[in-house]
Amino acid sequence: MTEIEKVLYTGKTHTTGGREGASRSSDGRLDIKLSSPGSSKPGTNPEQLFAAGWSACFIGAIGLAASERKITLPTDLAVDAEVDLRHGAGAYSLQARLNVSMPGIDRDTAQALVERAHQTCPYSKATRANIEVAINVV
């Protein structure tokens, strides 16, 4: 594991009630109700939150990869993240797909940027060899 030189940011939340509860960040900028997937109750779920965080981080990593190659990214670059909650063999697990759209960037270049981003994105690093992940240029 790489030695940490400097902590850049610490996200802090206080969560109560689990999947049917609420979560609030220490600075109050995040204040959400939680509900289980498929529930008709108001609120989001951990899988949606994870998908949102990972896709936002992944776009940042694509930006870094593009800057290394002096490539200008389209303003409508988008990542559609899908995080599945699975159950089998008596255990729960996750799997994910990141579908990346880079209009105006040729497919080979987009694929190279996505591969580089997957190596540097902290969320990708955290999930590597822990869950099934597919990253697709669409």
Side-chain angles (χ1 to χ4, degrees):
M1 179 159 254
T2 306
E3 185 177 324
I4 303 292
E5 294 178 21
K6 180 180 175 183
V7 173
L8 299 176
Y9 177 76
T10 300
K12 298 179 185 179
T13 61
H14 179 77
T15 303
T16 58
R19 287 182 173 271
E20 299 297 330
S23 191
R24 180 178 169 86
S25 63
S26 60
D27 62 6
R29 295 179 73 183
L30 176 73
D31 190 358
I32 57 170
K33 292 181 185 207
L34 300 169
S35 62
S36 293
S39 167
S40 61
K41 295 181 181 179
T44 187
N45 59 64
E47 291 72 30
Q48 290 173 330
L49 293 169
F50 188 66
W54 192 356
S55 58
C57 186
F58 201 79
I59 288 173
I62 292 170
L64 289 174
S67 69
E68 289 173 355
R69 297 180 67 174
K70 297 182 178 26
I71 295 170
T72 301
L73 292 172
T75 57
D76 52 351
L77 163 68
V79 174
D80 292 316
E82 302 171 351
V83 175
D84 301 321
L85 175 62
R86 306 184 317 175
H87 185 263
Y92 291 95
S93 64
L94 299 174
Q95 71 181 16
R97 290 164 304 287
L98 301 180
N99 300 305
V100 182
S101 173
M102 280 188 248
I105 303 291
D106 70 85
R107 186 164 194 77
D108 289 341
T109 300
Q111 187 65 44
L113 293 174
V114 162
E115 288 172 8
R116 177 70 177 139
H118 192 46
Q119 295 305 309
T120 60
C121 173
Y123 280 73
S124 292
K125 288 179 182 181
T127 59
R128 188 165 291 116
N130 292 313
I131 69 171
E132 292 180 34
V133 177
I135 300 184
N136 309 299
V137 174
V138 296

